[in-house]
Amino acid sequence: MLAYLSIGILSLLLAGIPVAVTLFLLAFGVDQFFSFFPLTKALGQNLWSAADSFLLIAIPLFVLMGEIIVRAGIAEKAYRAMDHWLSWLPGGLLHANITTSALFSATSGSSVATAATVSTVALPQGKSLGYDPRLFCGSIAAGGTLGILIPPSINLIVYGFLTETSIPQLFMAGLVPGLGLALLFMIASLLLCLWKPSLGGPSSVASWDTRLNSLKFLLPLLVLFLVIVGSIYLGWATPTEAAAIGVIASLGLAAQNRQLNGKMVMAALDGTIKTSSMILFIILAASFLNFALASSGMVQQLTGLLNAYELSPFALLMAVIALFIVLGFFIETLSLMVITIPIVTPLIVAAGFDKVWFGIVMILFVELALITPPVGLNLYIVQASRRGEAFSDVIVGTLPYLAAMLVMAALLVAFPSIALWLPASLSQ
């Protein structure tokens, strides 16, 4: 069965079959060749049970909130503000790219939206000021990955839904590693620009009046983040209710920015429908594949195979991490999650690892997949805003940030409390 799944996944994806269709075809194959029971007879009930979840409504709501913020020009003003505050550092705009990505991540929940927004705003300015194009593009692509780690994260919602893990705990667990990763990105940029100042372009110092006046462009996003995450963890709202509050608040911010009109709302709704339909279709397909694998004894087979090799818990974790790194070169990130979660999560939990902590580790390596060729989505998002320039620049520019991600992964493995202390302390 393992060979069937491996060959089937790679063959169908390389053939250009949509991810959701691939997952359904794999599930039907498991039913035909490896199950003693007609699993397809439970297809309707399984899909209805998966779709009939109040939690899933949060996904299109968070997507809509991010679409509104992008189209209302709020992210562009936040970028200018971060530039005023950080331009004195060596590589000033590189830090603005990363911090704006972190700030926007706290409202959009999407890496693609984050990378696309910051690319549009930052690239013309970086080019005009003479920044090294490779490092500048790399900072945008890497900063965009923060969108799926810093809450509210759509990918964390998907992980929580598929593994029946608390979404509030996942959100809190992702906050410190997300901010820590943003800090490591900034340290990497700073060290490179100290080593070779020409990489960072000219430094400038904005007046304190300019800095303080720019805070009004940062405050709305900070308030939006506190309202969403705070209401969830204080128990005032579920993730779905908090997402709805976020949509209403983002509409208010768009109105305050004088960008709220019928054309903008329709464009935001159109983008939301396209993105959400793709995500939800994949989730439904993954749910049925999970059911098929569980019913056919896949987890027991894997457990027996690993027991035969007598892997220690740490060796098992390293094997799973290696699997994520290899698959991340070839499989799109959401697909990587839904394909691997039903197989590896039960094994990791059985080995004694915390399910919340593992969710953060998984997301970190999903982030890694976003900026590794040949299918690293953020690489293409940044390149699309450059038009005609070398794609290799974007790939090379991400290398320092890939190293920073591996450092954070090592820290998480060595010190799980980095992810777990905040949810543990707030639950007391």
Side-chain angles (χ1 to χ4, degrees), residues 117-410:
T117 302
V118 178
S119 294
T120 303
V121 175
L123 283 173
Q125 191 169 348
K127 188 174 183 179
S128 66
L129 293 176
Y131 278 76
D132 178 76
R134 292 173 296 182
L135 190 60
F136 196 81
C137 292
S139 69
I140 298 173
T145 66
L146 299 170
I148 60 173
L149 185 56
I150 296 176
S153 162
I154 292 171
N155 290 60
L156 282 176
I157 293 175
V158 172
Y159 176 85
F161 175 77
L162 293 176
T163 61
E164 299 181 353
T165 307
S166 166
I167 302 298
Q169 287 208 349
L170 286 169
F171 278 2
M172 289 299 100
L175 185 57
V176 174
L179 296 177
L181 185 58
L183 181 61
L184 286 175
F185 286 165
M186 293 179 68
I187 291 172
S189 302
L190 181 65
L191 293 176
L192 284 169
C193 292
L194 287 173
W195 169 64
K196 192 173 182 181
S198 61
L199 294 173
S203 297
S204 61
V205 180
S207 67
W208 278 104
D209 284 342
T210 302
R211 293 182 188 181
L212 293 174
N213 287 332
S214 69
L215 286 178
K216 62 185 178 184
F217 301 123
L218 298 176
L219 191 59
L221 292 179
L222 290 172
V223 170
L224 190 58
F225 169 74
L226 292 174
V227 167
I228 294 169
V229 177
S231 63
I232 292 173
Y233 212 85
L234 290 173
W236 296 346
T238 65
T240 302
E241 292 165 346
I245 294 170
V247 170
I248 295 171
S250 63
L251 288 171
L253 292 174
Q256 185 184 35
N257 213 33
R258 297 183 180 179
Q259 295 294 326
L260 184 61
N261 54 62
K263 183 178 179 181
M264 188 276 284
V265 172
M266 289 304 296
L269 289 171
D270 182 61
T272 300
I273 290 170
K274 290 177 180 177
T275 303
S276 302
S277 298
M278 175 196 70
I279 294 173
L280 293 172
F281 192 23
I282 290 174
I283 289 174
L284 292 180
S287 175
F288 185 62
L289 178 59
N290 292 355
F291 169 73
L293 292 176
S295 301
S296 60
M298 173 70 169
V299 175
Q300 290 85 344
Q301 280 191 30
L302 271 176
T303 304
L305 180 64
L306 293 173
N307 288 338
Y309 285 102
E310 297 182 350
L311 291 178
S312 67
F314 181 76
L316 172 63
L317 178 64
M318 291 300 102
V320 169
I321 287 174
L323 176 68
F324 282 135
I325 292 174
V326 172
L327 292 181
F329 287 117
F330 308 104
I331 303 178
E332 183 271 332
T333 52
L334 184 61
S335 312
L336 175 61
M337 286 184 62
V338 297
I339 289 169
T340 56
I341 282 173
I343 299 172
V344 303
T345 305
L347 300 176
I348 288 293
V349 173
F353 293 102
D354 186 271
K355 191 159 54 171
V356 172
W357 170 83
F358 179 66
I360 304 305
V361 172
M362 170 182 277
I363 292 295
L364 186 61
F365 283 97
V366 169
E367 284 186 306
L368 196 74
L370 280 168
I371 54 173
T372 50
V375 296
L377 193 54
N378 278 19
L379 301 176
Y380 295 98
I381 294 295
V382 174
Q383 180 64 16
S385 300
R386 303 177 74 223
R387 295 194 177 97
E389 299 182 58
F391 183 46
S392 59
D393 287 350
V394 187
I395 297 173
V396 172
T398 61
L399 294 179
Y401 304 105
L402 287 172
M405 284 184 174
L406 293 175
V407 169
M408 176 52 71

Side-chain angles (χ1 to χ4, degrees), residues 411-425:
L411 290 173
L412 275 173
V413 172
F415 307 103
S417 58
I418 293 174
L420 297 178
W421 77 268
L422 185 58
S425 61

